[in-house]
């Protein structure tokens, strides 16, 4: 017989509606309406805050995932370089954000031959980190079979073409260093 509907409004957005009914005719009087409006205002604040908390928790979960991905990515990069007489190899990767598309690798093929790779995937963040992982996996999958520098880059290029979305690319340098011959082929 009586009904009142009060919108839950926050920042000009309707978040919901408070709907009350009564079996009595003309049950809701002005003092009750004012109290219900105050309650609706407080309820809209609570709904807004709950939504903001959910957004914050989702952001924190994503940040935790990125931190874990950054730890995995750091493990993918070489930390112990093969030892060669008269050659010292060092490298460091310092991403501008938690994960990146930067990569390097050193592959020992024989006691006097090694492969050297340096690359950078376009963009930043998780997509670049995934593509970086793909490149390293593709490069390392060729570790057991010694290919020329051209063959290695050709195979990686095909892998990237088949596995990535249009518009993504990587700059990549790959060389084979022959210490016995003092020759660098790239």
């Amino acid at each position: 017989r009586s009904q009142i509907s009060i919108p839950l409004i926050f920042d000009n957005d309707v978040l919901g509606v408070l709907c009350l009914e009564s079996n009595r005719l003309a049950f809701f009087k002005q003092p009750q309406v004012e109290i219900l409006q105050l309650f609706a205002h407080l309820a809209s604040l609570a709904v807004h805050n709950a939504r903001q908390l959910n957004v914050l928790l989702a952001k924190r979960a994503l940040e935790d995932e990125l931190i874990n991905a950054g730890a995995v990515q750091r493990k993918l990069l070489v930390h112990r370089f093969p030892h060669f007489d008269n050659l010292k190899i060092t490298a460091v990767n310092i991403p501008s954000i938690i994960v990146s598309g930067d990569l390097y690798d050193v592959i020992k093929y024989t006691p006097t031959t090694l492969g050297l790779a340096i690359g950078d995937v376009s963009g930043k963040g998780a997509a670049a980190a995934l593509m970086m992982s793909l490149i390293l996996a593709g490069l390392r999958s060729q570790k057991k079979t010694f290919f020329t520098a051209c063959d290695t880059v050709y195979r990686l290029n095909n892998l990237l073409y088949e596995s990535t979305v249009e518009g993504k690319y990587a700059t990549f340098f790959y060389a084979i260093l022959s210490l016995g011959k003092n020759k660098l082929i790239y």
Side-chain angles (χ1 to χ4, degrees):
R1 302 185 130 211
S2 295
Q3 179 180 336
I4 186 168
S5 297
I6 301 172
L8 304 180
I9 299 174
F10 184 87
D11 202 20
N12 294 324
D13 288 331
V14 177
L15 305 178
V17 178
L18 179 63
C19 233
L20 298 169
E21 296 177 349
S22 173
N23 289 335
R24 286 198 241 158
L25 191 62
F27 177 76
F28 300 103
K29 307 285 185 231
Q30 188 59 32
Q32 292 168 319
V33 171
E34 289 173 5
I35 290 172
L36 290 171
Q37 285 174 331
L38 178 61
F39 178 79
H41 176 69
L42 294 174
S44 67
L45 288 173
V47 170
H48 172 75
N49 288 342
R51 287 181 178 176
Q52 291 302 105
L53 179 62
N54 285 338
V55 168
L56 178 65
L57 292 174
K59 284 181 181 179
R60 283 189 182 161
L62 182 58
E63 186 176 299
D64 288 344
E65 288 296 320
L66 283 174
I67 289 169
N68 290 335
V72 169
Q73 187 177 42
R74 283 188 297 281
K75 285 286 207 180
L76 288 174
L77 296 172
V78 177
H79 297 284
R80 292 187 182 150
F81 296 100
H83 175 75
F84 294 96
D85 292 334
N86 301 322
L87 179 66
K88 181 174 179 160
I89 301 170
T90 59
V92 65
N93 177 10
I94 303 170
S96 61
I97 54 177
I98 299 170
V99 292
S100 75
D102 302 325
L103 67 104
Y104 61 85
D105 204 2
V106 178
I107 300 169
K108 185 174 183 177
Y109 290 112
T110 70
T112 61
T113 307
L114 68 145
L116 302 168
I118 302 171
D120 184 16
V121 175
S122 64
K124 297 186 182 311
L130 283 171
M131 197 165 153
M132 170 269 198
S133 300
L134 175 68
I135 294 168
L136 276 179
L139 180 64
R140 290 175 181 169
S141 71
Q142 301 178 52
K143 200 174 192 176
K144 300 286 183 206
T145 310
F146 182 74
F147 295 111
T148 66
C150 288
D151 286 338
T152 299
V153 172
Y154 175 79
R155 289 167 189 264
L156 282 176
N157 190 56
N158 285 341
L159 173 67
L160 286 178
Y161 179 77
E162 294 170 0
S163 306
T164 59
V165 296
E166 190 173 325
K168 283 294 192 184
Y169 64 92
T171 55
F172 186 75
F173 173 83
Y174 181 72
I176 297 173
L177 177 60
S178 174
L179 296 171
K181 299 176 184 176
N182 281 335
K183 190 183 269 189
L184 181 73
I185 301 168
Y186 60 93

